Amino acid sequence: LEPARPPASRNFGERVPPRRIHPYLLPMGEKLSRVSSVAAALAVLLMTALLSVGVVEPASSTTRRAAPPTATFTVSSFNVLGASHTPPGSSRASGTTRIVWAKQLLDQHHVQVAGFQEMQAVQYTKFAQIAGSSWALYPGLTMLKRDSENSIGWRTDTFDLVWASTVKIPYFNGSLRSMPVVLLREKSTGMLAYFANVHNPATNRHHGGNDHWRRKAILREAQLARKLHATGVPVFLTGDMNEREQAFCPITGKAPMRAARGGSHTGGR
């Protein structure tokens, strides 16, 4: 997992230049709240992340220790259902209509970072129109069409982009797709966090036999989490795993990750 560095993120009002900042984040905690879907196939998974950094003082210091800085923000994993699934004449609202509802949900729940799955070009364009410069997305439409449907977005009044790249994750029939990884700096504290966003292949009547490739994808995602965690910076993984236990156990058992909704595993399983 040594991805090449891709183009800079797309900010709807400006381009955000990468900045080098020394990571100094320590542990985090999170909580999850449920929200109701406003339309079929629209759901938001929310969690609030609390990041803290320790203050180091000389052993001889008699000065009272200052409270460590904290940054609180809300993260969403959001499969917005690609526009191609609801073409004109279908029984469900169009992709461009639903992305407006999605933006309303993000605002309603004060989401500052979102991992989007299935955000197709027409939905991205509509989101850009209504969000203006308040949100930036990576990779947006800067990559191949199939690699541009899974973006990480962040509010530009809360976060700056420090670094962005992609990792190759197996998708249908083992074909590799580029999934985004970004390092963001929270503006009020300067604190850093990694965010990765993935979409694993489903097994259904249109795409059979993907169980093997889904397992491969999950193991690669756990490997990515271990590698990012080793930097000492908190890691957040969002995505549509198309699994429950089969994703939870390997990711929390083979990587130092905790699920927002809790749970336990035994021996990495």
Side-chain angles (χ1 to χ4, degrees):
L1 297 178
E2 290 290 347
R5 200 169 192 168
S9 70
R10 176 66 57 85
N11 180 305
F12 302 129
E14 59 181 348
R15 296 183 69 85
V16 181
R19 282 177 287 277
R20 292 186 178 275
I21 300 175
H22 296 293
Y24 56 92
L25 288 181
L26 292 176
M28 74 278 191
E30 62 270 56
K31 65 181 179 180
L32 175 75
S33 61
R34 299 179 64 88
V35 297
S36 299
S37 176
V38 297
L42 287 181
V44 181
L45 180 64
L46 300 175
M47 57 186 169
T48 298
L50 179 63
L51 310 182
S52 62
V53 58
V55 178
V56 179
E57 298 178 353
S60 60
S61 174
T62 59
T63 305
R64 177 180 295 181
R65 293 189 177 187
T70 61
T72 302
F73 53 88
T74 303
V75 180
S76 167
S77 183
F78 203 162
N79 187 323
V80 298
L81 187 66
S84 61
H85 292 289
T86 57
S90 68
S91 60
R92 291 181 286 184
S94 68
T96 52
T97 297
R98 290 185 288 101
I99 204 65
V100 173
W101 296 343
K103 174 63 165 54
Q104 292 172 352
L105 276 176
L106 297 177
D107 292 341
Q108 178 183 346
H109 295 282
H110 309 291
V111 174
Q112 286 119 338
V113 181
F116 295 105
Q117 303 89 43
E118 298 191 33
M119 181 183 272
Q120 295 178 354
V122 294
Q123 292 161 293
Y124 172 92
T125 301
K126 185 64 176 180
F127 189 90
Q129 177 187 343
I130 61 179
S133 61
S134 64
W135 279 79
L137 270 72
Y138 177 81
L141 300 181
T142 63
M143 304 181 69
L144 296 175
K145 179 180 178 181
R146 67 176 189 174
D147 293 330
S148 295
E149 295 182 354
N150 303 295
S151 288
I152 299 174
W154 59 92
R155 286 198 60 91
T156 55
D157 59 0
T158 308
F159 286 96
D160 284 324
L161 176 67
V162 178
W163 172 87
S165 191
T166 59
V167 293
K168 298 291 187 182
I169 299 295
Y171 203 60
F172 290 138
N173 300 316
S175 62
L176 296 178
R177 287 200 177 185
S178 297
M179 304 290 177
V181 183
V182 299
L183 178 64
L184 300 181
R185 177 172 62 87
E186 201 276 331
K187 288 187 172 184
S188 67
T189 62
M191 304 177 78
L192 302 178
Y194 280 110
F195 298 86
N197 181 53
V198 299
H199 191 186
N200 294 343
T203 297
N204 52 41
R205 62 190 180 92
H206 299 294
H207 302 281
N210 283 301
D211 292 21
H212 168 75
W213 297 114
R214 194 161 55 252
R215 305 292 185 271
K216 290 282 189 182
I218 290 168
L219 291 177
R220 186 165 293 196
E221 289 148 13
Q223 180 185 356
L224 171 65
R226 290 195 303 271
K227 182 174 181 180
L228 295 176
H229 183 269
T231 67
V233 176
V235 180
F236 296 87
L237 175 64
T238 59
D240 183 347
M241 306 299 182
N242 276 305
E243 286 281 12
R244 292 177 63 86
E245 294 85 355
Q246 294 298 328
F248 169 85
C249 293
I251 290 177
T252 61
K254 298 182 183 300
M257 301 291 285
R258 291 181 292 162
R261 299 188 66 179
S264 62
H265 62 268
T266 302
R269 297 184 177 181

